[in-house]
Amino acid sequence: MRNGTYKNRRHAMRWGFLTALFCLFTLIFLVGCGDDPLLVPDGGYDYRVSGDYILGYPIPLVEDNPMCISVSAEHNTLPPAFTYREAQMQYYRVQTAETSLTLPGGGTLSVPSVGNGDDRVFFEAVSADGICVFEGAFSGYAVAADGNGNTLFLSDETECLVLTETLGACHAVLTEKNRVLYTEENGDLYEYRGSGKTVCLVSGETVTDAWYAKGTESLTVVYETVSGNWYTKIGTDAARECVLPENTALEQKWGCVFLRDTVFALAGTDDRCYFYDLRTGEPIDMDMGGLYRFKENGYAVDALTVSPDGIFVYLYDVDFIYRMNLQSGTLDLAYNEAPMFENTCIINSMTAVTDEIVILSQEAAEHTEFSATITIAVFEEDIPELRHEDERIDMEHHTVYEETED
């Protein structure tokens, strides 16, 4: 009786071991072969690229998307994050973790981040008492402002470095070059460069808006003063006034939007508009009419989708994704495969992961009759050559892979 029980147990143990081994090999096979037909990244999120990471922000079903994580006691679900390896043309999910930040005057705040050490990047987040963490990082430190909006500081798990206690606004965190762009209460524009070095870029004028321009040979700042004048500035060189497009539409509705993160503006009417270089005032000879709707007459600022290198800007309609090269003036097309409803294509956000690949994010809503969806637009003529010349990227079977240690 006892011997029979032992044999049964041994048989059960052996069968359990073989079952576990089979499951393990099955998992390895599925991950290794990449046959899981999941669209990537996850639906139900808007995405932004910061450094080497693609950060996901939950799409709310009510009100406009703030692209910001609300940090509260009920905050349990960590947002997703990915990387994209261009050599393999594959997305990899990376682990998101809660990071404890040291606050000025004591106390801590737990916020979502991705990466480790100096490679760490933080999601944009706001706490219940108004502490704001800006997207990106400075050498692995979070850039944050206190609830009163007066103190700008760098923080990690063990220390807090105050940059200013008379903050006007934090305008940009440039993760790739470890720079922070902000104004004081008096409107002077400053740049923090690390090692305790803070440089005043503009003084004596009240700066109301500013950003770092991508796609320029030298690090360029674009800024606006309270008088409504716009300037570009490179390092310690004298500021140069922007050459703004003129209203040539006579009695028609005419608008000009400055493209945040670039040195370009889009100006004209809904039916006829062009991109202009703010440094020279020269237009790009490509009519973009019908692809952008100006919200108001006169001058404004908008954050269109720009490639990570700042060379391309993207627009869309129901048929195509349009990619304008801001350096050469050439226009490329990719098919818009995002779901449509009643002959309209409602895209919540577009994110350029590379020059060639754009994430189209759609939110779930009753009037669209589809769930939150991610679609990938690929400019196939720019996909690098693969091992087999007839092998092309198939986004319907483009799989999410877990990040592993090399």
Side-chain angles (χ1 to χ4, degrees), residues 69-125:
I69 303 297
S70 177
V71 179
S72 64
E74 294 77 25
H75 174 64
N76 296 318
T77 303
L78 288 173
F82 297 82
T83 60
Y84 181 79
R85 291 184 179 176
E86 195 163 4
Q88 294 97 336
M89 296 194 303
Q90 293 171 348
Y91 290 86
Y92 292 82
R93 186 186 297 273
V94 290
Q95 183 177 3
T96 306
E98 293 280 0
T99 300
S100 180
L101 301 182
T102 306
L103 303 179
T108 60
L109 175 67
S110 184
V111 297
S113 70
V114 60
N116 295 292
D118 290 350
D119 185 46
R120 183 167 47 194
V121 169
F122 292 85
F123 289 78
E124 185 170 333

Side-chain angles (χ1 to χ4, degrees), residues 253-259 265-275 287-296 298 300-305 313-317 322:
K253 179 182 176 181
W254 181 91
C256 174
V257 292
F258 299 87
L259 306 186
L266 180 63
T269 66
D270 290 348
D271 298 323
R272 191 175 182 84
C273 57
Y274 299 87
F275 287 104
D287 188 0
M288 306 300 292
L291 296 179
Y292 186 88
R293 292 290 181 264
F294 293 92
K295 300 178 179 63
E296 55 186 291
V301 177
D302 199 358
L304 299 185
T305 301
V313 62
Y314 303 82
L315 297 167
Y316 76 95
D317 61 18
Y322 299 84

Side-chain angles (χ1 to χ4, degrees), residues 146-265:
D146 67 358
N148 296 322
N150 299 324
T151 303
L152 182 68
F153 59 96
L154 306 182
S155 177
D156 67 0
E157 297 94 333
T158 60
E159 60 181 325
C160 174
L161 173 64
V162 174
L163 302 184
T164 180
E165 292 181 336
T166 56
L167 177 67
C170 181
H171 295 287
V173 177
L174 190 60
T175 303
E176 297 86 336
K177 295 186 179 294
N178 288 323
R179 301 287 178 92
V180 181
L181 191 66
Y182 66 94
T183 49
E184 293 280 1
E185 287 179 341
N186 62 2
D188 289 351
L189 183 65
Y190 285 85
E191 180 182 69
Y192 181 72
R193 299 179 178 178
S195 302
K197 185 177 182 180
T198 302
V199 178
C200 182
L201 300 180
V202 181
S203 64
E205 297 184 80
T206 301
V207 175
T208 56
D209 200 357
W211 60 77
Y212 290 109
K214 299 178 181 178
T216 56
E217 293 183 3
S218 301
L219 189 59
T220 302
V221 174
V222 180
Y223 68 92
E224 180 191 21
T225 63
V226 69
S227 60
N229 296 324
W230 287 86
Y231 300 88
T232 60
K233 184 174 177 61
I234 301 175
T236 58
D237 295 348
R240 298 180 58 184
E241 190 166 0
C242 293
V243 184
L244 304 185
E246 296 182 359
N247 184 353
T248 58
L250 300 177
E251 296 181 358
Q252 297 183 49
K253 179 182 176 181
W254 181 91
C256 174
V257 292
F258 299 87
L259 306 186
R260 191 174 293 277
D261 300 331
T262 76
V263 288
F264 286 85

Side-chain angles (χ1 to χ4, degrees), residues 33-65:
C33 294
D35 290 331
D36 188 3
L38 294 176
L39 291 176
V40 291
D42 296 337
Y45 295 85
D46 282 329
Y47 289 90
R48 283 201 299 232
V49 174
S50 182
D52 295 328
Y53 298 106
I54 307 168
L55 307 180
Y57 293 85
I59 299 174
L61 299 181
V62 182
E63 300 180 351
D64 293 334
N65 187 0

Side-chain angles (χ1 to χ4, degrees), residues 3 6 14 178 244-245 298 326 336 340 392:
N3 185 47
Y6 171 76
R14 179 180 297 176
N178 288 323
L244 304 185
L326 295 172
N336 183 1
M340 294 177 57
R392 307 301 290 174

